[in-house]
Amino acid sequence: MTAAVTAPPRAVAPRAGRAASRTRRRRALLWIATHAIAIALALMFLAPVAFLLLTSLMSDEQALTSDLWPHSWNWGNYADVFAKSELLRWTANTLLYATLGTLLTILSSVPVAYALARFRFRGRRLAFLLVITAMMLPPQVVAVPMYLVWARLGLTDSLWPLILPMLFGDAFSIFLLRQFLITIPREYVDAARVDGCSDLRTLLKVIVPMARPAIAAVALFQFFYCWNDYYGPLLYAGVAQEGWTLSLGLATFKAFHSVQWNLTMAATLLVTAPVIIVFFFAQRVFIEGVTLTGVKG
């Protein structure tokens, strides 16, 4: 008898691996096709940042030439920026302006927004109309009288004329917080009053914890505004260099080093990097707060 010849088993594992690889490629292509517009927009926004970073690492001779990739990585450009400017002092002034301005805006705007959202008093609609009017009023309209007031008080050539007015609230912050507070059910406030809470305690213990997304959004808006503000520091601290902020100092640095674009790009990246980092870590709370403030008018 002759033994039966059996065929060797086929290689199943390589075929399964190729099928899984094709499936992954299809999924990747499908994901790219679905998010094609978002990817294109992301590349459009990231291209200037990449150009800024690459130019900041180029030599002075290569900057703004047709070569987009650095021939040599000149990390010393960032050290030259610190050596040729008062970047640390500008950063300290900007942090003082942005931090104090944000804290004072929150402390003054939250009670006003709570009163406009919850209290029923004569003239409430007129007060809210004044807030909207102040929000639409350009700052250049009141620049001259406000400057005369601060000059008589002897506070010019400093950042205090920009910080102290935030003790009285900010129109946009009040509007944004008010839009969020009216979405909070009144039952929470009524329950707090039944428990014997005063209006101030109700605000601090009930409303503020529930309004954290809106407060975070307002804080980020105000922080970014103060960080990027150029007109205010130019008006009040333009002569006194010890009071310059990053935006004003960067404009002056660019004027003095207009032909050294690698240093200008390095300084620009150093100024914008903190804002990008703050928004990257706080974007979820920021987007949530902005979204919730528009639920109810």
Side-chain angles (χ1 to χ4, degrees):
M1 294 179 63
T2 59
V5 180
T6 60
R10 296 183 179 180
V12 180
R15 180 178 297 177
R18 288 193 297 269
S21 178
R22 287 195 297 268
T23 302
R24 286 193 296 267
R25 284 198 298 269
R26 291 196 191 97
R27 291 178 179 176
L29 293 176
L30 180 61
W31 185 89
I32 293 175
T34 305
H35 302 86
I37 298 178
I39 294 173
L41 292 176
L43 292 176
M44 289 175 58
F45 283 103
L46 290 176
V49 179
F51 176 79
L52 184 70
L53 176 61
L54 293 176
T55 307
S56 67
L57 296 174
M58 294 180 181
S59 61
D60 188 21
E61 294 78 11
Q62 187 188 356
L64 295 187
T65 60
S66 58
D67 296 330
L68 299 179
W69 194 261
H71 296 164
S72 60
W73 301 90
N74 298 276
W75 297 100
N77 292 339
Y78 294 95
D80 292 341
V81 171
F82 285 95
K84 296 181 180 180
S85 66
E86 297 291 337
L87 190 63
L88 292 178
R89 178 183 295 179
W90 301 342
T91 304
N93 294 335
T94 307
L95 285 175
L96 176 67
Y97 175 28
T99 304
L100 287 181
T102 302
L103 291 177
L104 294 179
T105 299
I106 294 299
L107 290 176
S108 58
S109 299
V110 170
V112 178
Y114 176 66
L116 292 176
R118 290 304 178 191
F119 293 167
R120 296 292 183 266
F121 57 91
R122 182 173 298 178
R124 183 172 65 95
R125 293 182 180 273
L126 179 60
F128 184 62
L129 181 62
L130 291 177
V131 170
I132 297 178
T133 304
M135 186 173 59
M136 296 186 296
L137 187 66
Q140 291 79 8
V141 174
V142 296
V144 174
M146 289 299 298
Y147 184 87
L148 294 177
V149 170
W150 294 114
R152 292 179 181 179
L153 294 176
L155 293 177
T156 53
D157 297 334
S158 67
L159 295 176
W160 291 112
L162 302 174
I163 298 175
L164 293 179
M166 298 179 186
L167 279 169
F168 306 97
D170 175 70
F172 177 73
S173 302
I174 293 172
F175 173 78
L176 201 65
L177 289 170
R178 184 255 181 191
Q179 295 301 106
F180 180 84
L181 293 180
I182 60 178
T183 63
I184 297 178
R186 185 174 294 274
E187 287 76 11
Y188 291 102
V189 178
D190 295 338
R193 289 178 177 175
V194 169
D195 291 339
C197 292
S198 61
D199 291 329
L200 180 59
R201 189 176 180 183
T202 302
L203 173 63
L204 297 178
K205 298 295 185 179
V206 179
I207 300 300
V208 170
M210 298 181 66
R212 285 179 181 175
I215 294 175
V218 168
L220 286 176
F221 270 125
Q222 191 65 27
F223 185 86
F224 292 160
Y225 169 78
C226 296
W227 188 275
N228 298 320
D229 187 17
Y230 174 78
Y231 177 75
L234 177 64
L235 180 63
Y236 291 105
V239 179
Q241 297 186 11
E242 61 273 8
W244 283 5
T245 58
L246 284 172
S247 56
L248 185 57
L250 180 61
T252 307
F253 184 85
K254 179 182 178 181
F256 281 105
H257 301 82
S258 57
V259 294
Q260 294 178 297
W261 285 102
N262 54 342
L263 298 184
T264 302
M265 297 297 181
T268 304
L269 190 61
L270 289 174
V271 171
T272 57
V275 179
I276 297 175
I277 294 173
V278 169
F279 182 77
F280 178 79
F281 286 102
Q283 59 177 332
R284 184 181 63 83
V285 180
F286 175 76
I287 295 174
E288 181 182 0
V290 174
T291 303
L292 293 178
T293 51
V295 173
K296 184 177 181 181

